[in-house]
Amino acid sequence: MWFNNRGWLHTIFSKLVIAFLLVVTPLYGIGLLMNKQGEKSVRSEVMNSLQSRVNYYIQSLETDKQHMVSMMNQLAVDRDLYHLTYASEYMKINEWSDAVIRLENRMRWMKESSLYIESVSAHMLTIGRTISTKKSITDQLNEYHPYSEESEAIAERTFDYWDNRLFLGLNSPDSEVVQNKPPSFVLQIELNLPGLRKALKHAMDYEQSGAVLMNLRQQWEVANMSDEPQMAHLKAYLQQLDSQDHENIGTIVMEGEPYLIAYKYSGQLDSYLIMYVPQRQLFGQMNSYKELLWVLSLLSIIVILLYSYWINRLIRKPLKTLIRAFGKVEGGNMELASLPRSKDEFRYLFQHYNRMVERMRVLIHEVYEQTLRVQTAELKQLQSQINPHFLYNTYFILSQLASIDDNENVRRFSQHLGEYFQYITRSAANEVTLASEVNHTRTYVEIQSIRFLNRIQVEFPELPESCKDLLVPKLFLQPVIENAYQHGLESKRKNGEIAVGFELQTSKVIITIADNGETLTDEKLQQLDESLQRQGLDNEYSGLLNVHRRLQLMFNHHGGITVARSARGGLQVALHIPLSNEGGRRAHVPSIDR
């Protein structure tokens, strides 16, 4: 069926899906583009935020370091420290005690001024004693990091790593000021590493993230215990950086997981501050949103398919019913279609379809009756055209036979002529049995044999028994024999031949009439064949065309005439008479005259 054999792309369902996709796809594309732009913007903001955090913390450390250096410089010129270092033995006990207390208070104030200071110490080398915030003045020097005159940490005022501790130191007098003279005292600030680690830990609030202060030149770093697995990766990353690359954001894979890192080098601290965070912590939510977007896209497609399927069923079911109804009408079944239960446009369409079918029933009945009348009138006209053909010569022949006193032939001729006209005028029926038509044609052949004085021999076998009761048009066979006499053999003076044959096939019987006429050319044969095919007019063969038309009218174009050149050299006419027409009905049209 056409409805089911169409390609999928030509169905309503596919068109609905494509229409929905055409509407949704641009909106989805815009949403996806906005999501990409948003993701890009968020990534940029996150990276800028991470770099800003690095800048803030390293600036904070630099500020604290500058504060420490400033306080050490002020302490280096403290009067009490000078008195204790250079004039301790000349001071009274109460003056000495007051100086120690004031120096301790000043050093304690220095310690309390910064969270990153663990202790402040003054090692007075001249008297071999130490004052620190951890202990009061001692009787001997405490252990301290010995700074040489060439110490870079002293010269550049940077942190120095010693004994797993970080120090900021100051020699007095400075070797740059006083050449070749050992320092009289050494000031040291020990950094509070736990506090610094805590501050670095609070710098990043993501899981598995961290911050590290790393000095590549002195090979030290300040990091939490949780940062230990990442140290080697971070150190290798920094070591491969360009010497001019002091600040940037990059990615690194540590322990099989991608991290986003931001770093900055501080010349004051001679160290890098590195902050790192797993990308899944920063962008995991965006990735989940991306996954949700794909899930939403899949759900949207499913919804589109389901909605299209529902709309398709809503439209296709009544449409399919209507198409089936049209198929039935095309096959000749004029049944009315059942109205759908829904009161929508399809119900209106079905109502008008049923009205159309009812109207077609009326029109077909009217056309059928009119067609029967036209066919009957045409058959009557064709019959009236055939009947006069034989009258022209019969009386002339009878007159000649009487004039020569050939009474026997007059009797025979009169008997055959009576039978001939009796057959024609006996009934107004348009259909007769094939046996009656063959007997009438034999009578006509007998009459012509008397006329042509045996110049033409006719072979006329017996009709098969199974074909005798077949209904055929009246007077369809005799005009074909007459055509052979008139156009094929009339000019032949002797040895004329006409052969009649009956061939019974499965679905039809074929009657052949062949002559040995000599006037048929190939051009005339082709012209006759074309006239039969287009049912045109040909005066010479009007009898054959009339018979062909009558057979087609009676047998609904399943019957008719075909022509060819016979084995005898003349024309061979084959009359095709179906035993039954399509549908198993009898191969005839009922006569209205009956």
Side-chain angles (χ1 to χ4, degrees), residues 322 336-340 342-358:
L322 191 59
L336 299 180
S338 300
L339 296 178
S342 58
K343 296 182 179 180
D344 52 13
E345 289 81 358
F346 278 107
R347 186 179 182 87
Y348 174 80
L349 187 62
F350 271 75
Q351 289 175 342
H352 280 264
Y353 166 80
N354 287 341
R355 293 174 188 170
M356 179 196 69
V357 171
E358 291 177 349

Side-chain angles (χ1 to χ4, degrees), residues 328-571:
K328 291 180 180 179
V329 171
E330 186 179 359
N333 188 350
M334 294 293 176
E335 292 183 1
L336 299 180
S338 300
L339 296 178
R341 288 179 293 181
S342 58
K343 296 182 179 180
D344 52 13
E345 289 81 358
F346 278 107
R347 186 179 182 87
Y348 174 80
L349 187 62
F350 271 75
Q351 289 175 342
H352 280 264
Y353 166 80
N354 287 341
R355 293 174 188 170
M356 179 196 69
V357 171
E358 291 177 349
R359 180 59 179 163
M360 286 178 63
R361 286 177 177 176
V362 175
L363 292 176
I364 288 173
H365 182 71
E366 293 176 354
V367 170
Y368 179 72
E369 289 185 349
Q370 185 176 0
T371 302
L372 288 178
R373 295 190 185 98
V374 171
Q375 288 180 351
T376 302
E378 189 171 356
L379 287 172
K380 295 286 188 183
Q381 181 193 11
L382 291 173
Q383 184 175 344
S384 66
Q385 290 178 0
I386 294 173
N387 289 336
H389 287 308
F390 192 64
L391 297 176
Y392 299 134
N393 298 316
T394 53
Y395 290 109
F396 178 74
I397 295 172
L398 186 60
S399 173
Q400 283 185 331
L401 292 175
S403 64
I404 61 175
D405 296 325
D406 190 354
N407 296 326
E408 179 60 26
N409 283 330
V410 168
R411 183 189 64 77
R412 288 179 52 220
F413 188 83
S414 299
Q415 182 180 353
H416 292 315
L417 190 61
E419 292 175 355
Y420 177 85
F421 283 108
Q422 181 183 15
Y423 179 79
I424 293 176
T425 60
R426 178 178 55 185
S427 172
N430 296 317
E431 300 171 4
V432 294
T433 62
L434 182 57
S436 299
E437 184 67 15
V438 169
N439 290 335
H440 169 71
T441 306
R442 288 181 188 277
T443 301
Y444 173 78
V445 169
E446 292 294 335
I447 295 173
Q448 293 291 56
S449 296
I450 296 175
R451 174 188 173 189
F452 289 102
L453 299 176
N454 297 321
R455 288 189 293 117
I456 300 175
Q457 301 296 324
V458 179
E459 297 179 9
F460 209 136
E462 291 296 325
L463 178 66
E465 288 291 333
S466 57
C467 300
K468 289 185 176 181
D469 295 330
L470 185 64
L471 291 178
V472 293
K474 188 176 181 180
L475 296 175
F476 85 97
L477 183 57
Q478 176 250 316
V480 180
I481 301 291
E482 183 179 355
N483 182 81
Y485 278 108
Q486 290 182 356
H487 303 291
L489 302 175
E490 188 172 16
S491 61
K492 199 172 183 63
R493 296 304 177 185
K494 61 180 179 178
N495 300 326
E497 296 178 1
I498 297 176
V500 180
F502 301 98
E503 180 183 353
L504 183 61
Q505 297 184 354
T506 304
S507 60
K508 63 183 176 179
V509 60
I510 301 177
I511 304 174
T512 58
I513 297 94
D515 63 62
N516 64 342
E518 298 174 350
T519 60
L520 180 66
T521 63
D522 292 338
E523 290 76 10
K524 285 186 177 182
L525 180 62
Q526 182 179 0
Q527 180 183 2
L528 175 58
D529 184 58
E530 292 176 355
S531 297
L532 291 172
Q533 290 181 11
R534 67 173 184 269
Q535 297 184 11
L537 296 177
D538 191 318
N539 293 330
E540 185 175 354
Y541 298 102
S542 60
L544 293 180
L545 295 176
N546 287 337
V547 171
H548 178 65
R549 175 61 177 159
R550 292 180 64 196
L551 290 174
Q552 288 195 329
L553 284 174
M554 181 170 183
F555 299 114
N556 297 325
H557 301 281
H558 296 292
I561 289 178
T562 58
V563 293
R565 186 173 293 277
S566 70
R568 293 174 168 79
L571 178 66

